[in-house]
Amino acid sequence: MKTLFMLLLFCHVASTVKHSLKYFLTATSGVTNIPEFVAFLMVDEVQVGYCDSNIKIADPKQDWMRDFMKDNPQHIDWYTQRCSSNQQFFRAHLDALKQRLNQTGGAHILQRMNGCEWDDETGEVIGFNQYGYDGEDFIVLDLQTLTWTAPRQQAFTTKLRWDADKARSEFNKYYCFHECPHWLKTYVHYGRSSLQRTDLPSVSLLQKTPSSPVSCHATGFYPDRAMMYWRKDGEEHHEDVDHGEILPNHDGSFQISVDLILSSVAPEDWRRYDCVFNLSGVEDVIITKLDKAQIRTNWVSPSEFPAGVTGVVVGLLLLLALCIAGLFIWRRNNNSE
């Protein structure tokens, strides 16, 4: 979905810390092997809660969130009720959309992302509430005008109906600017030791083959507010550089790669290049020199194979050639009968 899952780009300047509380809700029709309704609760891009139409109860996913639920048992009941009511809401709207668009079969997906961001220095709060259908933006609430925007013509009927429901829009506004930041601040307080930690990564130089770009790869850092770039003679270098996205690891940390294409770099100029990683809020940077001896690769030239290994490889290739030739002769004889 174009706007439900956004890549955050960070400028090379010190920035304030922004926290976020986001709900990702998904209803499906005609999709097998997954629940018909799934909901994720994310705090600072970390999954802290989950429910679906099969388990039907709110499931905390972080230790600090479990502690919060123990201290506030009514909260898990509230989330469980919300999971049930949203499941019914999404089921009804998905069925109505399919009927209106004359979609009698196939797989269809209705999604919503809503929540808020809070700047802990300025106090600024930004709210959002938007829907997607079958992988495309469908309808978005403008919290300033309290009107819905329909990027797709199919959503125009929904826009008219929801624009007329003033109570619904006012509730969404109140939630985004009052309830949401209240709970966000509460969650950040409970999870501060985890959410506000800073973990520096391990940085490696990787290369597939001698003619491939050299990838400066950082993994294991937290949070995801980080930047990495190549420098030449101490200045940020943009030519022949390919910036990768910040991606999540299975353990909740993050990784990123920045590639440098070496075709235009003379061997004697390698010493002029280095890779810089900087984690937001951390003064120290990690600088990795472009050094051939430090590049990790799985590529091995044929001349570097041991003699015994080379003989085995050649033997296997000859055997494969004989098998192919035999198969060709067998097919030719069969066709001539």
Side-chain angles (χ1 to χ4, degrees):
M1 188 170 297
K2 299 174 182 175
T3 60
L4 291 192
F5 304 99
M6 298 174 290
L7 172 65
L8 300 181
L9 302 177
F10 295 92
C11 301
H12 295 180
V13 295
S15 61
T16 60
V17 176
K18 292 184 178 180
H19 300 283
S20 63
L21 173 60
K22 298 178 181 178
Y23 298 89
F24 292 91
L25 296 87
T26 302
T28 61
S29 174
V31 180
T32 59
N33 301 323
I34 64 171
E36 291 186 350
F37 177 78
V38 175
F40 294 90
L41 172 61
M42 311 287 288
V43 176
D44 289 356
E45 310 304 329
V46 176
Q47 182 187 353
V48 303
Y50 173 85
C51 79
D52 64 41
S53 52
N54 290 341
I55 64 173
K56 299 180 181 179
I57 60 171
D59 181 17
K61 292 297 184 181
Q62 301 293 326
D63 289 340
W64 62 264
M65 192 62 170
R66 295 185 185 96
D67 293 338
F68 172 78
M69 293 297 188
K70 289 179 182 178
D71 295 340
N72 302 270
Q74 73 282 1
H75 207 66
I76 195 167
D77 293 335
W78 182 82
Y79 268 120
T80 298
Q81 293 171 3
R82 293 285 295 172
C83 183
S84 176
S85 61
N86 275 306
Q87 178 185 345
Q88 297 172 21
F89 171 85
F90 271 73
R91 180 78 269 162
H93 279 275
L94 182 55
D95 290 342
L97 274 173
K98 289 167 53 182
Q99 183 176 1
R100 186 191 314 156
L101 301 177
N102 196 27
Q103 297 171 331
T104 57
H108 300 284
I109 302 174
L110 177 63
Q111 295 176 288
R112 183 178 80 197
M113 190 273 283
N114 67 294
C116 61
E117 289 183 352
W118 162 59
D119 189 315
D120 67 356
E121 289 194 5
T122 66
E124 180 186 14
V125 173
I126 299 174
F128 34 82
N129 191 330
Q130 53 199 86
Y131 290 78
Y133 185 62
D134 286 351
E136 296 184 6
D137 293 341
F138 187 73
I139 192 167
V140 181
L141 177 61
D142 185 331
L143 288 165
Q144 301 304 317
T145 63
L146 293 185
T147 57
W148 292 86
T149 301
R152 300 175 60 183
Q153 181 63 33
Q154 294 93 327
F156 191 69
T157 300
T158 302
K159 166 188 163 53
L160 294 178
R161 187 169 67 254
W162 288 4
D163 278 349
D165 190 348
K166 301 300 182 183
R168 173 197 181 94
S169 297
E170 288 289 350
F171 170 80
N172 284 325
K173 181 178 180 179
Y174 177 82
Y175 175 80
C176 286
F177 292 114
H178 295 279
E179 285 194 27
C180 183
H182 166 73
W183 290 117
L184 173 55
K185 294 172 187 178
T186 302
Y187 296 152
V188 169
H189 174 74
Y190 262 84
R192 61 188 181 278
S193 61
S194 174
L195 296 172
Q196 297 181 352
R197 75 184 193 275
T198 54
D199 296 336
L200 290 174
S202 61
V203 180
S204 306
L205 297 179
L206 309 175
Q207 190 178 33
K208 293 181 180 179
T209 70
S211 60
S212 301
V214 171
S215 178
C216 186
H217 179 71
T219 185
F221 62 89
Y222 186 91
D224 62 349
R225 294 182 292 273
M227 59 185 180
M228 191 162 70
Y229 54 95
W230 282 97
R231 293 191 311 186
K232 179 181 179 182
D233 297 331
E235 299 291 334
E236 186 171 351
H237 183 69
H238 300 284
E239 186 178 353
D240 295 327
V241 172
D242 184 16
H243 290 269
E245 299 180 5
I246 295 179
L247 301 173
N249 291 321
H250 69 280
D251 60 358
S253 65
F254 297 91
Q255 62 173 295
I256 187 175
S257 294
V258 181
D259 294 347
L260 174 65
I261 300 174
L262 294 174
S263 57
S264 59
V265 180
E268 61 271 18
D269 289 336
W270 278 38
R271 58 183 178 81
R272 302 169 62 186
Y273 291 83
D274 56 36
C275 172
V276 178
F277 176 90
N278 182 215
L279 188 64
S280 178
V282 177
E283 292 185 3
D284 295 335
V285 299
I286 300 176
I287 300 176
T288 306
K289 287 284 188 181
L290 180 58
D291 183 351
K292 189 173 184 179
Q294 300 301 317
I295 296 177
R296 298 165 56 185
T297 179
N298 292 326
W299 184 85
V300 179
S301 66
S303 62
E304 295 176 351
F305 279 109
V309 174
T310 303
V312 171
V313 171
V314 172
L316 289 174
L317 291 175
L318 288 174
L319 180 60
L320 178 62
L322 288 173
C323 291
I324 294 174
L327 178 62
F328 175 77
I329 294 171
W330 178 81
R331 286 183 173 176
R332 185 179 61 184
N333 289 339
N334 281 351
N335 290 336
S336 62
E337 291 178 357

